[in-house]
């Protein structure tokens, strides 16, 4: 017998109602809810272990977002006809939820937590990712799992100059700003999105609109929790503390940590120095120290290091590598770094380096992107690779993980804003191989990608650059430090890291994670302005490297020409069962793509050689050309008859060259006059309007003999003609 479900409903604007329900589905989970808007229904469950694993030192949170194809009445296209591993879109949504939820858990909470969000019913106009974090948070809200706050997430898009919360899929297609924002009732927690060169102030306005909408959703979650009768949160085992040991660690390492932090050393030198100090600390404890004591000492040492380095940045306004707070590391960049790819660039910023390549393909290379509700092709692909040697580590190579997918997506969304539209015929693949990493390889990918695209001759109107920012705060005196171009260590130490990409004119992409309470909009404005200055500094260097896209693709890149033909000629170019187009491709070594657009056929011809391209284009033009009376053509003899020869004077167009029109001399037979495959010049002298047959002549192109009637042509036995 099912229990009576409990639900709350709220309006997200424009009379669009969203309901959250619990108590009906998945009742053995520690928290379970459904979120519904229109026909879109999402099930979210959360389960947490009661005790942490022995020796657990980090928070093991697992978040998976999954879309059931049945939710949209579809069968998966895989061989097994079932959902497999998460696709890139599901991974990206999982990351959005994870980044929003993770700061909500206490720092000393180490129990395994699994959050599963599943789309079980799809609505083609409701974009589900905007509801996924709401569903996950609501499942936690109706559980006894010890989160500090309730959170929610909305999409804010600017459509026709107006900000819209959670727009429909159709509305979203026309947006020039698209951001997903997560927040608690008081504080922003996560921002991710893209825009067509919006200003920093536009972004702040979008954040304010989002936060107002999020507060409504948080209120609904609290109401649902009260209705469900959830009382308090569960207790959990906290790590044992040893204050005497903590004091010893502080006394032994404090000054030494500060000295290393102030040394302005390189990444590996600094890391080795900190590791050496840690070993000295453990040795100082003596042989009587057990494993538990050593582990606690290491934890206190890392906590002290975290605190001291942050204080150094705030008090001394200097960073681990000796830079000023707003200083970008040294830049080095070059294009045409590799001889064979269609475009390439090497971008180095400090100890971060990306080698990026561009490959130009045909429409046949387009990437199919599928979700439960959509199935679309994209002509712009970006892949990001992060091999372990980039950080001097040894790890198993198991293909791209969630981090790689997320970083590649940020770079792709940023560069996409400057990519040419659908009129550009090439499919473009960008691949970033990170060769070194010490802070924001995703921003290096954006910069290297922009350089490589221009090197390949892709007509980007402007460069897109990016910079990663950090923020360190101190609550006791409300002081803070905003860091430009953060190091990997600073990313770990900071309270906020955010990546901002864009052109000289505005923002193209943002990815932001906030780990603290009480971040004011004024601080956000200051951070965005400092990011803008850092981005402009990097962009100036990029323009010096290559100021504009190359006018032509490289000689070894596929050549392309686009033709527009009347719709009625599409079948003629393709031919019966594709016979004609296959013959053209085979004979010319080209790849041809035909797409019907309105009343026209859009024909894209690709070839690795200009000769083949020109030949294929001429062939297609011949098929689609309208023969004109008086025009001269080079024809090919296709068949010999006693009354003349059939010749093809345009691709797919044949006419009769009558025996009387072959020569000024009178011919009694076709024997020995012409042969199949022979090339002859002919002139179109008429078209039979009843039958549509073409009348051709060769003799009108030949000089007339002088005087009298034309002689008879020689006979087949060689006898002289009769006069």
């Amino acid at each position: 017998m099912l229990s009576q479900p409990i639900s709350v409903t709220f309006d997200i604007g424009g009379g669009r109602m969203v309901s959250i329900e619990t108590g009906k589905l998945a009742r053995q989970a520690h928290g379970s809810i459904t979120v519904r808007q229109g026909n879109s229904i999402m099930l979210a469950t959360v389960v947490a272990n009661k005790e942490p694993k022995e020796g657990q030192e980090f928070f093991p949170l697992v978040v998976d977002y999954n879309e059931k194809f049945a939710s949209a009445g579809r069968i998966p296209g895989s061989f097994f006809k079932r959902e497999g591993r998460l696709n890139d879109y599901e991974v990206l949504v999982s990351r959005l939820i994870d980044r929003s939820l993770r700061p909500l858990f206490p720092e000393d909470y180490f129990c395994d937590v699994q959050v599963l969000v599943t789309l079980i019913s799809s609505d083609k106009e409701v974009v589900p990712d905007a509801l996924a974090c709401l569903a996950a948070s609501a499942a936690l809200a109706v559980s006894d799992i010890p989160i500090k706050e309730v959170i929610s997430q909305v999409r804010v898009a600017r459509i026709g100059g107006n900000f819209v919360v959670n727009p429909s899929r159709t509305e979203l297609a026309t947006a020039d700003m698209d951001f997903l924002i997560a927040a608690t009732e008081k504080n922003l927690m996560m921002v991710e999105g893209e825009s067509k060169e919006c200003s920093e102030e536009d972004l702040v306005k979008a954040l304010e609109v989002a936060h107002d909408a999020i507060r409504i959703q948080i209120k609904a979650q609290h109401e649902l929790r009260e209705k469900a009768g959830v009382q308090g949160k569960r207790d959990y085992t906290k790590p044992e503390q040893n204050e005497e040991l903590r004091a010893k660690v502080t006394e032994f390492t404090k000054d030494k940590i500060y000295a290393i932090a102030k040394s302005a050393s390189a990444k590996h030198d600094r890391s080795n120095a900190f590791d050496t100090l840690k070993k000295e600390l453990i040795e100082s404890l003596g042989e009587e120290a057990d494993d538990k004591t050593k582990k606690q000492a290491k934890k206190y040492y890392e906590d002290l290091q975290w605190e001291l380095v942050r204080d150094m940045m705030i008090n001394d306004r200097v960073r681990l590598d000796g830079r000023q707070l707003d200083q970008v590391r040294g830049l080095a960049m070059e294009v045409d770094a590799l001889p064979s790819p269609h475009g390439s660039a090497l971008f180095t910023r400090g100890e971060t380096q990306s080698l990026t390549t561009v490959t130009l393909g045909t429409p046949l290379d387009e990437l199919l992107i599928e979700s439960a509700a959509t199935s679309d092709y994209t002509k712009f692909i970006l892949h990001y690779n992060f091999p372990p040697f980039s950080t001097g580590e040894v790890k198993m190579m198991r293909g791209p993980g969630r981090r790689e997918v997320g970083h590649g997506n940020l770079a792709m969304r940023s560069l996409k804003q400057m990519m040419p539209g659908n009129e550009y015929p090439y499919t473009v693949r960008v691949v970033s191989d990170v060769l070194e990493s010490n802070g924001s390889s995703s921003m290096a990918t954006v910069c290297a990608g922009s350089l490589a695209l221009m090197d390949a001759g892709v007509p980007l109107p402007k460069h897109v650059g990016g910079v990663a920012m950090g923020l360190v705060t101190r609550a006791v005196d409300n002081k803070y430090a905003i860091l430009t171009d953060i190091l990997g260590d600073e990313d770990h130490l900071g309270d906020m890291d955010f990546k901002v990409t864009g052109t000289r004119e505005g923002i193209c992409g943002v990815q932001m994670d906030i780990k603290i309470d009480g971040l004011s909009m004024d601080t956000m404005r200051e951070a965005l302005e400092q990011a803008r200055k850092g981005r402009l500094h990097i962009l100036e260097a990029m323009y010096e490297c290559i100021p504009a896209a190359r006018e032509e693709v490289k000689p070894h890149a596929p050549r392309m020409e686009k033709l527009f033909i009347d719709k009625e000629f599409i079948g003629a170019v393709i031919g019966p069962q594709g016979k004609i187009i296959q013959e053209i491709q085979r004979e010319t070594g080209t790849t041809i793509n035909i797409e019907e657009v309105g009343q026209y056929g859009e024909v894209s011809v690709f070839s690795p050689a200009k000769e083949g391209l020109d030949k294929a284009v001429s062939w297609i033009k011949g098929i689609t050309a309208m023969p004109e009376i008086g025009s001269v053509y080079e024809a090919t003899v296709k068949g010999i008859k006693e009354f003349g020869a059939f010749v093809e004077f345009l691709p797919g167009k044949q006419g009769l060259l009558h025996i009387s029109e072959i020569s000024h001399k009178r011919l009694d037979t076709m024997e020995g006059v012409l042969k199949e495959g022979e090339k002859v010049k002919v002139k179109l002298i008429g078209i039979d309007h009843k039958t549509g047959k073409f009348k051709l002549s060769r003799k009108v192109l030949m000089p007339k003999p002088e005087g009298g009637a034309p002689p008879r042509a020689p006979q087949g036995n060689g006898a002289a003609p009769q006069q």
Side-chain angles (χ1 to χ4, degrees), residues 38-319:
N39 288 332
S40 178
I41 303 176
M42 201 169 290
L43 170 66
T45 62
V46 58
V47 175
N49 288 344
K50 299 295 176 67
E51 295 291 336
K53 295 176 182 176
E54 185 176 352
Q56 184 73 36
E57 297 179 335
F58 64 92
F59 175 40
L61 172 66
V62 175
V63 179
D64 283 334
Y65 170 80
N66 176 251
E67 294 188 354
K68 299 295 185 183
F69 272 63
S71 69
R74 298 175 61 197
I75 295 175
S78 69
F79 178 81
F80 297 103
K81 300 301 178 187
R82 69 174 297 167
E83 291 82 2
R85 57 171 291 182
L86 301 186
N87 60 38
D88 282 0
Y89 173 72
E90 291 168 326
V91 167
L92 292 170
V93 178
S94 299
R95 277 174 52 85
L96 289 173
I97 301 170
D98 186 303
R99 288 160 49 203
S100 303
L101 296 183
R102 193 171 289 272
L104 303 181
F105 291 85
E107 293 181 2
D108 56 359
Y109 185 69
F110 297 145
C111 298
D112 286 77
V113 178
Q114 185 176 44
V115 179
L116 301 180
V117 183
T118 307
L119 183 69
I120 56 177
S121 180
S122 176
D123 187 318
K124 63 180 181 180
E125 283 299 318
V126 176
V127 188
D129 57 8
L131 300 173
C133 187
L134 165 63
S137 176
L140 284 165
V142 298
S143 75
D144 65 347
I145 297 171
I147 56 172
K148 295 182 287 186
E149 294 185 80
V150 173
I151 198 172
S152 195
Q153 175 181 291
V154 297
R155 166 178 271 109
V156 171
R158 189 170 64 182
I159 302 167
N162 299 314
F163 288 110
V164 180
V165 174
N166 289 3
S168 67
R169 200 180 297 274
T170 300
E171 291 173 326
L172 189 59
T174 62
D176 64 354
M177 290 178 65
D178 176 14
F179 289 95
L180 283 162
I181 298 112
T184 65
E185 188 172 2
K186 295 181 179 179
N187 305 297
L188 295 174
M189 302 300 291
M190 189 281 302
V191 181
E192 173 117 14
E194 62 189 79
S195 65
K196 298 186 184 300
E197 299 180 287
C198 77
S199 68
E200 282 72 13
E201 191 57 36
D202 288 338
L203 175 57
V204 172
K205 289 178 182 176
L207 298 179
E208 291 173 338
V209 170
H211 210 168
D212 289 341
I214 285 169
R215 290 187 179 100
I216 296 172
Q217 299 187 5
I218 290 174
K219 181 180 178 182
Q221 293 180 63
H222 283 300
E223 184 182 345
L224 182 68
R225 177 179 170 82
E226 291 177 6
K227 284 187 174 182
V230 179
Q231 299 292 328
K233 296 294 182 180
R234 70 175 68 162
D235 291 328
Y236 60 94
T237 302
K238 298 176 177 62
E240 184 180 333
Q241 301 299 322
N242 186 333
E243 294 304 327
E244 182 181 350
L245 178 61
R246 188 193 300 272
K248 287 182 180 179
V249 170
T250 301
E251 182 180 359
F252 185 85
T253 64
K254 183 176 181 179
D255 293 340
K256 296 176 183 179
I257 289 174
Y258 190 76
I260 295 171
K262 288 278 288 185
S263 66
S265 55
K267 173 185 175 181
H268 289 293
D269 293 338
R270 185 171 60 251
S271 178
N272 291 337
F274 279 131
D275 287 344
T276 300
L277 178 56
K278 186 189 294 185
K279 291 177 182 177
E280 292 173 356
L281 168 66
I282 299 304
E283 290 174 358
S284 72
L285 299 177
E287 295 182 359
E288 66 275 9
D290 57 16
D291 290 342
K292 179 181 177 181
T293 301
K294 292 177 181 179
K295 182 179 291 188
Q296 282 183 314
K298 290 178 181 179
K299 175 66 168 58
Y300 296 150
Y301 168 77
E302 291 167 0
D303 291 345
L304 182 61
Q305 179 185 333
W306 182 86
E307 181 183 342
L308 291 176
V309 174
R310 287 164 58 90
D311 282 344
M312 180 192 75
M313 294 176 184
I314 294 174
N315 296 335
D316 302 339
R317 317 303 284 178
V318 68
R319 301 161 66 176

Side-chain angles (χ1 to χ4, degrees), residues 354-554:
S354 169
L355 178 63
T356 295
T357 58
V358 171
T359 305
L360 303 178
T362 74
L364 299 178
D365 298 312
E366 290 181 359
L367 174 66
L368 175 63
I369 300 177
E370 281 195 300
S371 65
T374 63
S375 182
D376 299 315
Y377 284 91
T378 180
K379 294 166 64 174
F380 181 52
I381 308 162
L382 190 148
H383 291 143
Y384 165 100
N385 299 317
F386 192 84
F389 65 76
S390 65
T391 54
E393 296 176 281
V394 177
K395 292 182 180 179
M396 292 294 293
M397 297 285 287
R398 299 187 182 277
R402 293 191 178 191
R403 180 183 180 277
E404 285 85 347
V405 172
H407 281 26
N409 180 67
L410 174 61
M412 182 277 296
R413 298 176 79 173
S414 301
L415 292 170
K416 182 182 68 175
Q417 307 306 317
M418 289 296 112
M419 285 294 292
N422 287 330
E423 72 280 357
Y424 189 64
Y426 288 108
T427 295
V428 180
R429 181 181 184 232
V430 179
V431 178
S432 171
D433 290 298
V434 177
L435 306 185
E436 295 182 46
S437 180
N438 183 15
S440 193
S441 52
S442 63
M443 295 298 93
T445 296
V446 172
C447 299
S450 184
L451 294 167
L453 286 165
M454 286 198 175
D455 180 55
V458 178
L460 265 67
K462 306 172 187 177
H463 269 307
V464 181
V467 64
M469 307 292 294
L471 176 69
V472 177
T473 64
R474 190 163 57 201
V476 293
D477 55 9
N478 292 322
K479 289 186 177 181
Y480 61 89
I482 299 172
L483 314 177
T484 298
D485 180 23
I486 58 174
L487 303 171
D489 289 344
E490 292 170 341
D491 188 0
H492 167 69
L493 294 166
D495 298 315
M496 175 174 73
D497 67 273
F498 61 108
K499 304 173 179 70
V500 185
T501 70
T503 66
R504 286 167 168 168
E505 284 67 37
I507 294 172
C508 292
V510 172
Q511 187 179 91
M512 186 181 304
D513 293 306
I514 304 168
K515 310 166 190 175
I516 57 167
D517 297 337
L519 180 67
S520 70
M521 284 299 175
D522 288 339
T523 305
M524 178 70 73
R525 286 185 175 92
E526 183 181 346
L528 288 171
E529 176 58 23
Q530 191 168 315
R532 186 184 71 85
K533 292 177 180 178
R535 184 177 82 245
L536 292 178
H537 171 78
I538 295 170
L539 283 169
E540 290 307 311
M542 293 170 64
Y543 276 105
E544 289 179 11
C545 180
I546 180 169
R550 300 189 189 279
E551 294 185 0
E552 292 187 0
V553 299
K554 295 186 178 179

